[in-house]
């Protein structure tokens, strides 16, 4: 059993702390928010994530997990120090490392001898060297261990990962961090620090590219009268391609893809590589977000001003309460800017998002549709596919639907007399 400090009790930090404790390690998780620490020590989880409540409370009861205020208070007792701090994009798209380096400066003087710092945050190539310089101690080693957590399935992803990547320039330190995961049934890949740091960016950029490719193909399907679902099903059967991330939608967003693709473009530019391909992926994603809003405008004869529009889903994906860079919010903002009056329902959102202060929130999907002249399905919550469409039609002023997730039963929509459009159909 290892003694581990996790610095940061946000999404990645909380998942990592609970996950490492479940592997049998003694974990102290630190944050700068006293209210959040008190909440977590009481077993109350501040984020919407499947299985998180159960896992955190299980580890609290087992005595393998506790939460403290301040990075120094956690790190003075531990041998491994996982840095799980936010790295938001700066004005130029580069990752901002101020939170990470501030935390490092807070713990540098209290780290036990021969400690290992582990970069869990998504950080630019060369950050391991920056952290080493910030610590300025010959006995400390820095290792990169990027996270590959999907919101909504983070616990499952931590406990049953496709791979664990550990990178560093000190073989002993790399081996010690890799050993923390030895009870997992997965591949533990070891490499150098720079390659490890780049693997996370490359992975997210490729997944974003797949999603944009599908939306590009969806537009082709619409023009040619083909069905994107069948095209992607046939394409995905090729083992070289696979079926994951081959579903069309209203564009991609969230806490990772937008900032990581922009950061990788910046990293490449610093190395005198333009990376025009990835620049195009980012640009096309913005276009596909606008295309969804344009579908609603077209259904309403080119004018949404003063018209009531229902929105199902505000989070960037189902299974989370995360609104960061949500394509649903982006689509809604476009419609609101055009003068539409929006009413939305999302099972994980209880207050109007800051990006949409004038939006009305409904208590359920039918309530959101009441009096609307158009309904947009923007987040793929499973319950939306089960809503009684006859009740939806009865509630609406006009039965227009933009199904940006292709979730609703097209035959039933036709039978009930809806005017509807999807993506790639």
């Amino acid at each position: 059993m290892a003694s581990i400090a996790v610095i940061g009790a946000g999404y990645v930090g909380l998942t990592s702390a609970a996950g490492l404790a479940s592997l049998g390690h003694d974990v102290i998780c630190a944050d700068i928010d006293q209210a959040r620490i008190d909440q977590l020590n009481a077993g109350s989880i501040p984020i919407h994530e499947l299985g998180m409540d159960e896992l955190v409370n299980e580890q609290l009861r087992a005595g393998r997990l506790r939460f403290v205020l301040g990075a120094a208070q956690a790190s003075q007792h531990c041998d491994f120090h996982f840095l799980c701090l936010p790295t938001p994009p700066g004005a130029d798209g580069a990752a901002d490392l101020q939170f990470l380096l501030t935390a490092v400066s807070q713990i540098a003087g209290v780290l036990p001898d021969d400690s290992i710092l582990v970069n869990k945050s998504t950080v630019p190539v060369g950050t391991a060297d920056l952290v080493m310089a910030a610590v300025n101690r010959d006995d400390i080693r820095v290792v990169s261990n990027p996270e590959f957590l999907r919101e909504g399935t983070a616990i499952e992803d931590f406990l049953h990962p496709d791979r664990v990547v550990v990178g560093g320039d000190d073989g002993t330190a790399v081996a010690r961090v890799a050993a923390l995961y030895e009870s997992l049934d997965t591949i533990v890949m070891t490499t150098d620090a720079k390659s490890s740091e780049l693997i996370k960016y490359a992975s997210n950029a490729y997944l974003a590219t797949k999603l944009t490719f599908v939306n590009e193909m969806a537009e082709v399907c619409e023009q040619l009268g083909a069905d994107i679902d069948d095209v992607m099903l046939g394409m995905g059967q090729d083992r070289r391609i696979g079926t994951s991330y081959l579903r069309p939608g209203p564009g991609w967003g969230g806490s990772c893809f937008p900032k990581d693709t922009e950061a990788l473009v910046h990293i490449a530019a610093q190395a005198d590589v333009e990376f025009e391909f990835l620049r195009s992926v980012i640009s096309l994603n913005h276009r596909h977000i606008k295309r969804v809003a344009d579908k609603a405008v077209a259904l309403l004869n080119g004018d949404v001003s003063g018209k009531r529009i229902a929105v199902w889903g505000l989070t960037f994906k189902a299974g989370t309460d995360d609104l960061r860079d949500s394509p649903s919010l982006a689509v809604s903002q476009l419609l609101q800017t055009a003068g539409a009056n929006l009413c939305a329902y999302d099972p994980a959102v209880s207050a109007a998002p800051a990006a949409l202060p004038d939006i009305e929130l409904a208590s359920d999907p039918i309530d959101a549709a009441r009096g609307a002249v158009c309904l947009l399905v923007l987040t793929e919550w499973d319950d939306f596919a089960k809503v009684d469409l006859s009740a939806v039609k009865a509630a609406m002023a006009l039965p227009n639907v933009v199904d940006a997730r292709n979730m609703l039963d097209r035959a039933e929509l036709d039978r009930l007399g809806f005017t509807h459009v999807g993506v790639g159909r």
Side-chain angles (χ1 to χ4, degrees):
M1 179 180 74
S3 59
I4 298 174
V6 173
I7 312 303
Y11 183 83
V12 172
L14 188 55
T15 304
S16 300
L20 288 164
S22 75
L23 299 183
H25 304 301
D26 182 17
V27 180
I28 306 174
C29 184
D31 200 84
I32 60 173
D33 186 338
Q34 182 66 66
R36 190 180 187 90
I37 293 300
D38 293 341
Q39 183 181 7
L40 288 166
N41 276 321
S44 178
I45 309 304
I47 62 174
H48 183 99
E49 181 62 42
L50 181 65
M52 182 72 78
D53 186 283
E54 295 83 356
L55 188 62
V56 168
N57 277 280
E58 178 184 316
Q59 299 312 311
L60 285 170
R61 289 192 298 269
R64 288 189 292 266
L65 175 64
R66 60 191 175 97
F67 299 92
V68 299
L69 181 68
Q73 188 175 345
S75 286
Q76 62 185 324
H77 303 293
C78 300
D79 297 322
F80 296 88
H81 312 266
F82 279 69
L83 302 173
C84 302
L85 288 309
T87 54
D92 59 356
D96 185 346
L97 300 180
Q98 64 172 316
F99 298 107
L100 179 77
L101 295 177
T102 295
V104 171
S105 68
Q106 291 170 349
I107 64 176
V110 300
L111 293 171
D113 294 347
D114 301 315
S115 287
I116 297 177
L117 289 176
V118 183
N119 276 337
K120 199 72 174 169
S121 303
T122 302
V123 293
V125 175
T127 300
D129 294 335
L130 291 177
V131 172
M132 276 294 293
V135 173
N136 194 28
R137 283 178 53 177
D138 293 338
D139 63 318
I140 304 300
R141 297 292 177 265
V142 178
V143 169
S144 171
N145 176 216
E147 54 87 10
F148 300 98
L149 305 174
R150 297 168 297 167
E151 294 190 43
T153 59
I155 298 300
E156 176 70 15
D157 291 342
F158 187 96
L159 298 177
H160 304 282
D162 293 331
R163 79 293 202 193
V164 171
V165 176
V166 183
D169 302 321
D170 182 287
T172 300
V174 168
R176 289 181 64 193
V177 173
L180 298 175
Y181 298 99
E182 62 184 4
S183 61
L184 294 179
D185 183 18
T186 192
I187 296 168
V188 179
M189 173 188 171
T190 58
T191 183
D192 61 275
K194 289 184 172 63
S195 296
S196 176
E197 290 164 342
L198 196 53
I199 285 169
K200 174 61 184 290
Y201 283 116
S203 298
N204 279 355
Y206 183 73
L207 293 173
T209 298
K210 287 186 74 173
L211 291 171
T212 297
F213 174 81
V214 174
N215 280 336
E216 287 287 286
M217 285 301 305
E219 187 173 5
V220 173
C221 287
E222 290 172 17
Q223 295 300 316
L224 297 178
D227 190 310
I228 188 65
D229 292 343
D230 289 343
V231 172
M232 291 300 105
L233 178 62
M235 180 181 168
Q237 299 309 307
D238 189 323
R239 286 175 293 179
R240 297 168 302 175
I241 298 171
T243 58
S244 65
Y245 283 74
L246 289 184
R247 292 188 61 184
W252 41 264
S255 61
C256 292
F257 285 3
K259 76 177 183 67
D260 290 353
T261 50
E262 291 283 1
L264 184 52
V265 165
H266 181 81
I267 290 168
Q270 294 292 95
D272 295 323
V273 178
E274 282 302 309
F275 217 154
E276 288 295 333
F277 177 80
L278 189 54
R279 291 179 188 272
S280 295
V281 168
I282 296 168
S283 176
L284 287 169
N285 186 55
H286 295 312
R287 190 174 76 84
H288 285 293
I289 289 172
K290 184 177 183 300
R291 247 176 41 88
V292 173
D294 289 344
K295 288 173 185 283
V297 174
L299 282 180
L300 297 175
N301 300 314
D303 183 16
V304 299
S305 182
K307 297 177 180 178
R308 185 175 177 85
I309 294 179
V311 172
W312 284 1
L314 293 172
T315 57
F316 87 94
K317 64 179 288 189
T320 178
D321 57 357
D322 199 340
L323 296 166
R324 286 174 289 180
D325 279 302
S326 168
S328 176
L329 293 189
V331 171
S332 298
Q333 283 178 310
L334 289 171
L335 293 172
Q336 198 171 71
T337 299
N341 298 319
L342 303 183
C343 182
Y345 170 73
D346 189 297
V349 178
S350 58
L356 295 168
D358 297 325
I359 198 169
E360 178 185 341
L361 293 187
S363 58
D364 58 56
I366 302 296
D367 187 37
R370 189 160 288 111
V373 295
C374 187
L375 163 66
L376 285 86
V377 183
L378 297 179
T379 308
E380 71 281 22
W381 291 99
D382 289 341
D383 288 349
F384 293 162
K386 303 171 187 174
V387 176
D388 181 353
L389 292 178
S390 61
V392 174
K393 184 182 179 184
M396 295 182 72
L398 289 175
N400 296 308
V401 173
V402 177
D403 184 2
R405 296 289 184 173
N406 291 349
M407 295 187 69
L408 306 184
D409 186 327
R410 285 183 288 175
E412 182 69 0
L413 289 170
D414 286 336
R415 187 185 72 79
L416 292 169
F418 280 90
T419 299
H420 62 94
V421 293
V423 177
R425 296 169 163 176

